Amino acid sequence: MKPLFSEYTSAERTLMFGGENVSPILPYRYKAKGLGDDMPASTGSLSVSGAQPKLGVCRKNGLLRIAEPGEQSTHILKPCISGRFSLNRDMPANELFCMKLLATFFKIPAAPATLCFFNDGVPAYLTKRFDLLPDGSKMHVEDIASLSETEVQGDSLKKYQGSYEQLAAVVAEISDAPLLDLRTFFRLVLANYLLCNGDAHAKNFSMMNNEDGTRRLAPAYDVLNTRLHVADSTFAMESGLFTDGRECHKGSMKEHFTEWAKRIGLTAQYAIKEINRTVAALPVLLEQLPKSHLSHKAQSVFRYHVRQRFRSLN
């Protein structure tokens, strides 16, 4: 198969590489049952989250390459997974499309992202690290699972325990601008619901120390429509929106999100305004699908499930 494109646009070069001309073609092969034999053995210091490996990436002389052990990466690469999931080759395009929707449709700060390709044409998701300053120093980022003292080491399921109400309480306690960050968190959880992301667990939300010394909600990351690949639950957190674990019936989702907004410190008026604005703009979202890199089948599945979620908020 051939890569979908052989060079980045000027806007992508500026967003991802500071204007540097970088090739989207990786100097490695990909194999259906894993990564190619000529891939470096190390994946750097980045952890493997869930089913998708995350590889630290650097660039040199206009080429992207996997970071060596101990080397500071500037980007993170997520290869598509082999055939254990449906539409696995669409995973990178799925995540890229959802991340773009977060920034443009839902008005949520999100990690910059694009696609790159192994030299046999297999796509991968590439995101720019938002915790790095221009001088190479790092800003402190800590996920909400750690901040809420949820020990997940050795038990990957613990990151799913609890509710979004509990996660919001951590944001409110730690943020130096709690009202602004709670509003962003509301839109982000709403977006994860509407985009059918069943893997929005406690480690996929973080707080970050910014350059000005303030502690704020970090940009969104790891958002994709999981329904394209697996039949998962509506919410990643076991108790859903509410700490009391009440069931959220699809016919009352607008009321549930409005009640949840009040419980986390926002007004019903704010919640209803955001829900109505988002639902009314569904045609605009769907118009973007043909412009994505998703296959025709993946577009059809994406459209079906997202429409179902939007209808539940009417």
Side-chain angles (χ1 to χ4, degrees):
M1 60 185 295
K2 293 183 178 180
L4 294 173
F5 53 85
S6 58
E7 62 181 18
Y8 291 118
T9 65
S10 176
E12 286 175 317
R13 290 196 297 269
T14 299
L15 179 68
M16 296 294 296
F17 312 110
E20 181 182 346
N21 189 17
V22 174
S23 172
I25 311 302
L26 298 165
Y28 314 109
R29 293 181 291 110
Y30 176 95
K31 288 186 176 180
K33 294 185 179 180
L35 302 178
D37 294 334
D38 54 357
M39 288 284 290
S42 172
T43 62
S45 60
L46 292 167
S47 64
V48 175
S49 175
Q52 285 182 285
K54 296 182 179 182
L55 311 177
V57 170
C58 299
R59 65 186 191 276
K60 184 176 181 180
N61 299 326
L63 293 176
L64 297 167
R65 61 175 178 80
I66 306 301
E68 298 293 336
E71 185 178 19
Q72 178 65 72
S73 62
T74 57
H75 295 70
I76 298 170
L77 180 143
K78 294 168 70 172
C80 63
I81 309 171
S82 58
R84 54 185 290 197
F85 294 105
S86 299
L87 298 170
N88 62 301
R89 291 291 178 96
D90 281 289
M91 281 185 174
N94 179 1
E95 186 164 358
L96 176 61
F97 184 56
C98 289
M99 293 297 292
K100 286 185 174 181
L101 288 176
L102 289 182
T104 59
F105 184 82
F106 293 99
K107 310 300 181 185
I108 296 170
T114 187
L115 295 181
C116 60
F117 305 91
F118 291 92
N119 59 17
D120 53 5
V122 180
Y125 176 79
L126 185 72
T127 184
K128 183 179 180 181
R129 292 186 57 168
F130 54 74
D131 62 333
L132 293 183
L133 295 172
D135 63 2
S137 59
K138 290 194 293 185
M139 293 179 284
H140 180 70
V141 178
E142 192 169 3
D143 64 65
I144 293 182
S146 300
L147 292 167
S148 60
E149 299 181 351
T150 300
E151 180 56 58
V152 299
Q153 191 69 30
D155 185 353
S156 61
L157 296 180
K158 285 190 175 181
K159 61 191 176 186
Y160 298 100
Q161 294 177 359
S163 68
Y164 292 106
E165 184 179 345
Q166 291 171 300
L167 301 190
V170 177
V171 174
E173 178 184 358
I174 293 175
S175 173
D176 288 318
L179 179 59
L180 293 177
D181 279 344
L182 283 172
R183 286 178 171 178
T184 301
F185 188 72
F186 174 87
R187 296 198 308 277
L188 182 51
V189 174
L190 178 66
N192 275 294
Y193 169 73
L194 290 172
L195 295 176
C196 308
N197 180 21
D199 203 37
H201 52 69
K203 290 187 72 65
N204 279 343
F205 303 93
S206 292
M207 303 297 295
M208 182 171 72
N209 292 354
N210 292 313
E211 290 183 79
D212 60 6
T214 59
R215 207 171 191 188
R216 300 291 305 277
L217 187 67
Y221 57 93
D222 286 3
V223 176
L224 73 163
N225 187 325
T226 56
R227 283 297 174 97
L228 268 67
H229 313 296
V230 63
D232 54 9
S233 59
T234 299
F235 293 110
M237 301 304 291
E238 288 181 352
S239 297
L241 292 176
F242 301 103
T243 301
D244 60 19
R246 70 175 67 180
E247 291 188 20
C248 293
H249 301 289
K250 291 184 178 180
S252 306
M253 289 308 299
K254 187 172 185 178
E255 289 79 5
H256 289 310
F257 269 101
T258 302
E259 175 62 24
W260 179 66
K262 292 190 292 183
R263 290 197 176 203
I264 68 174
L266 301 175
T267 65
Q269 291 81 0
Y270 174 80
I272 292 171
K273 179 181 177 182
E274 285 300 315
I275 291 169
N276 289 344
R277 178 191 66 82
T278 303
V279 170
L282 175 61
V284 178
L285 185 158
L286 296 180
E287 285 174 2
Q288 304 305 309
L289 260 176
K291 302 175 186 178
S292 74
H293 296 295
L294 290 165
S295 66
H296 291 301
K297 183 176 181 180
Q299 289 182 38
S300 178
V301 176
F302 190 106
R303 185 180 293 106
Y304 171 79
H305 286 294
V306 168
R307 276 179 171 164
Q308 295 294 104
R309 293 291 174 89
F310 271 76
R311 285 171 184 162
S312 74
L313 284 167
N314 281 324

